[in-house]
Amino acid sequence: MSKESLLKKEFREKDVNRARNLIKKDYNAKTTTGTGYSKKREKHQEGDVWEEDGRTWTIKGGIRQNVTKLDKAKKAAQVPLACPKCKGAMNHHLHKKMYKIHGFCFDCTIDYEAKLRKAGLYESYERAMIQGSLKAWATDLQAYVSDFLETSNTYVTEQGDIEDWKNNKAHQKEAVLKNLEEYLDHVQKALDS
C-alpha cells in the first residue's frame, strides 16, 4: 500500500465542523447558518393598542390579548374580587348575586336597604325592583313566543319528501298571539296597580 490516502472524497467545511464538534462533545453547535424571511417585531408597552393582520391587539398584565367586540360584555359580567363600596372580599355566592343586581356586595345591599327602610322608601324600592323583573320577564316571554311561532318545523324524510308538521298554522298562530296579548295586558295591569 502506498502512503497516498485511499480517501479521495473531499469534505465540505460543514462536515469538517460537524466532526470537530462531535470530537469536542459539543453536540448542539450549529454548522450552518440559516437564512430566510424574518418578520419585523415591534416592541409594545403595557396598555398599547395596535392593529396587526386585520385584528386589534393590546397588552394587559404583560400578556398580549386580542381586542374583541365582546370585551365590554365580558367586563360587565365579571365580578371583582373586592366590593367597590366597602372594599370587602366578594367570595360568597350572595355577594356575587347582589353585585350583578346592585353593583356592590350583599353586606352593602343590606345596609342600603336598612337605610331605605329607615327613610320609609323601602316599599317603593321593592315595588320598582319587582316591576323591573316582571317587565324583563314579559319582554323575554314575548320574544320567545314570537321566535317559536316564526320557526318552521319542516322535515325531510328518507324518500326526500318535505313534511310540514304544523297543521292549521295560521289559525294556531292567531290564537297563541291573542292569548299572549291578553296575558301580557293582565300582567301590565298588575304592574300599574
Side-chain angles (χ1 to χ4, degrees):
M1 230 200 244
S2 69
K3 292 189 176 188
E4 197 175 312
S5 173
L6 295 174
L7 189 59
K8 302 273 185 195
K9 184 178 179 184
E10 200 170 309
F11 290 103
R12 293 180 290 179
E13 187 176 345
K14 77 172 195 171
D15 295 331
V16 174
N17 286 338
R18 178 70 180 144
R20 203 175 279 138
N21 290 338
L22 289 174
I23 292 169
K24 291 180 184 176
K25 296 186 180 178
D26 189 7
Y27 302 111
N28 296 327
K30 294 183 179 181
T31 58
T32 59
T33 56
T35 59
Y37 172 76
S38 61
K39 189 174 181 180
K40 184 180 128 186
R41 288 276 184 201
E42 297 178 20
K43 297 283 184 181
H44 297 285
Q45 301 298 322
E46 182 81 21
D48 287 352
V49 178
W50 70 96
E51 182 102 11
E52 185 177 302
D53 298 329
R55 298 172 95 182
T56 308
W57 297 89
T58 186
I59 297 179
K60 291 181 185 174
I63 299 171
R64 182 178 157 189
Q65 296 178 350
N66 186 13
V67 178
T68 64
K69 296 175 184 176
L70 298 176
D71 281 346
K72 291 179 185 174
K74 284 190 242 176
K75 190 170 184 175
Q78 188 177 16
V79 178
L81 295 174
C83 173
K85 197 169 185 182
C86 70
K87 306 296 183 220
M90 303 227 341
N91 52 6
H92 195 273
H93 71 94
L94 291 175
H95 294 313
K96 294 173 184 172
K97 182 177 181 179
M98 290 300 136
Y99 180 80
K100 290 178 182 176
I101 296 170
H102 299 287
F104 39 82
C105 71
F106 181 65
D107 298 332
C108 292
T109 304
I110 290 173
D111 294 341
Y112 175 69
E113 290 178 355
K115 289 176 186 174
L116 287 175
R117 280 194 174 104
K118 200 175 210 181
L121 301 172
Y122 182 75
E123 288 77 21
S124 62
Y125 161 77
E126 185 180 29
R127 192 176 315 109
M129 292 294 288
I130 292 171
Q131 285 179 349
S133 295
L134 279 176
K135 287 177 184 175
W137 175 80
T139 56
D140 289 347
L141 178 67
Q142 193 169 12
Y144 172 76
V145 170
S146 64
D147 184 46
F148 177 75
L149 292 175
E150 295 302 319
T151 57
S152 66
N153 289 338
T154 57
Y155 299 96
V156 179
T157 64
E158 292 176 357
Q159 289 80 21
D161 300 330
I162 298 175
E163 293 182 357
D164 185 12
W165 286 15
K166 279 192 172 181
N167 295 332
N168 301 325
K169 190 159 85 172
H171 176 68
Q172 288 177 348
K173 193 179 210 181
E174 289 173 11
V176 169
L177 286 175
K178 182 182 173 196
N179 288 340
L180 176 66
E181 197 172 305
E182 289 174 5
Y183 183 69
L184 289 178
D185 287 341
H186 177 71
V187 169
Q188 189 61 39
K189 287 177 186 174
L191 286 173
D192 292 340
S193 62

